[in-house]
């Protein structure tokens, strides 16, 4: 089932963001530090001209991360299928994941099957909750500023994707951070474009 979330670029220091969330009553739940390796079924030439949706829909991600709360390391394979509206905003996402135990073997297997490793993303995400709402505030190596992600919560789960998206935008606005106007930041695509100018 598709989930709706927003991602917004925040023009404030990560520690300021976390401090403000605490002042607003949000409670720290976890910090994930990890690396995503993106492998696509597209060839190297197709990657150069592919849209964000084409890249993501055709990609398998090897995701490795450390969870601070439990001091554990986890590795998984992830596939995301994005639902975009007519303006290119991500209004829904279907995510499938499976836990694996060897990222190197997985990378070799995908490469041997002809998939192209088109991007590697390193990031840290801090999870803060208040009631039913979770705010994920983090940084991406190679990108300026910070990012806040907010996923749909129980009281809006029966709304349409567009209604959910609008509610999440209103919620992030209410937090009062200095942020960009794109509520559907595509971190991996932003990083890819910045490295391939």
């Amino acid at each position: 089932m598709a989930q709706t979330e927003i991602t917004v670029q925040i023009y404030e220091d990560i520690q300021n963001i976390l401090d403000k969330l605490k002042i607003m009553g949000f409670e720290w739940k976890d910090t994930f530090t990890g690396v995503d390796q993106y492998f696509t079924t597209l060839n190297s030439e197709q990657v150069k001209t592919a849209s964000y949706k084409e890249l993501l829909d055709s990609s398998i991600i090897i995701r490795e991360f450390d969870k601070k709360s439990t001091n554990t390391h986890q590795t998984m394979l992830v596939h995301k299928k994005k639902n975009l509206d007519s303006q290119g905003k991500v209004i829904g996402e279907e995510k499938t994941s499976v836990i694996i135990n060897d990222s190197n073997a997985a990378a070799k297997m995908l490469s041997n099957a002809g998939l192209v490793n088109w991007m590697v993303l390193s990031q840290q995400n801090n999870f803060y909750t208040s009631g039913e709402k979770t705010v994920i505030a983090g940084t991406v190596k190679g990108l300026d500023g910070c990012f806040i992600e907010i996923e749909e919560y129980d009281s809006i789960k029966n709304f349409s994707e567009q209604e959910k998206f609008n509610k999440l935008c209103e919620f992030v606005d209410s937090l009062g951070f200095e942020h960009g106007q794109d509520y559907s930041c595509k971190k991996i695509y932003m990083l890819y474009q910045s490295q391939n100018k």
Side-chain angles (χ1 to χ4, degrees):
M1 186 168 156
Q3 290 270 338
T4 300
E5 67 176 41
I6 62 169
T7 304
V8 183
Q9 193 167 19
I10 307 293
Y11 305 118
E12 298 186 31
D13 178 78
I14 187 64
Q15 195 55 55
N16 290 346
I17 294 168
L18 303 184
D19 290 344
K20 287 180 182 178
L21 287 171
K22 287 181 205 165
I23 290 166
M24 287 184 255
F26 284 83
E27 186 179 334
W28 177 84
K29 287 297 175 189
D30 218 333
T31 298
F32 286 17
T33 304
V35 175
D36 289 353
Q37 299 179 65
Y38 283 73
F39 286 80
T40 179
T41 57
L42 303 176
N43 65 40
S44 298
E45 285 305 306
Q46 291 171 319
V47 166
K48 292 176 185 175
T49 57
S51 69
Y52 168 73
K53 181 171 170 52
E54 289 167 336
L55 280 169
L56 264 288
D57 285 356
S58 67
S59 287
I60 303 238
I61 304 160
I62 301 173
R63 173 164 288 170
E64 279 191 279
F65 59 93
D66 295 307
K67 287 180 70 171
K68 190 171 183 179
S69 64
T70 54
N71 197 26
T72 55
H73 183 81
Q74 194 164 32
T75 306
M76 56 179 59
L77 289 179
V78 180
H79 178 263
K80 298 178 179 182
K81 186 166 180 63
K82 303 285 188 177
N83 300 334
L84 275 60
D85 68 10
S86 58
Q87 281 85 45
K89 295 179 200 153
V90 179
I91 57 171
E93 172 186 275
E94 290 179 51
K95 183 158 63 176
T96 310
S97 60
V98 60
I99 294 171
I100 60 172
N101 60 16
D102 190 334
S103 62
N104 292 328
K108 185 175 180 182
M109 180 180 69
L110 295 176
S111 293
N112 287 347
L115 278 72
V116 174
N117 181 198
W118 62 278
M119 210 58 223
V120 175
L121 180 141
S122 300
Q123 63 182 336
Q124 184 176 80
N125 286 318
N126 304 279
F127 293 72
Y128 281 77
T129 61
S130 177
E132 65 178 351
K133 295 170 182 167
T134 299
V135 173
I136 306 163
T139 55
V140 175
K141 186 177 179 182
L143 290 179
D144 293 334
C146 302
F147 294 87
I148 279 185
E149 297 176 49
I150 304 169
E151 298 176 345
E152 68 180 70
Y153 39 89
D154 283 348
S155 62
I156 64 168
K157 69 179 180 182
N158 293 321
F159 291 12
S160 71
E161 286 182 333
Q162 191 63 60
E163 287 172 327
K164 288 181 203 176
F165 186 85
N166 293 340
K167 282 285 183 192
L168 294 174
C169 292
E170 289 171 14
F171 174 55
V172 78
D173 287 346
S174 75
L175 297 175
F177 293 114
E178 183 187 345
H179 66 76
Q181 293 308 302
D182 185 358
Y183 293 88
S184 189
C185 285
K186 303 161 181 74
K187 294 185 286 186
I188 187 64
Y189 202 53
M190 290 169 70
L191 186 62
Y192 175 72
Q193 289 179 315
S194 75
Q195 292 184 6
N196 292 276
K197 285 180 178 172

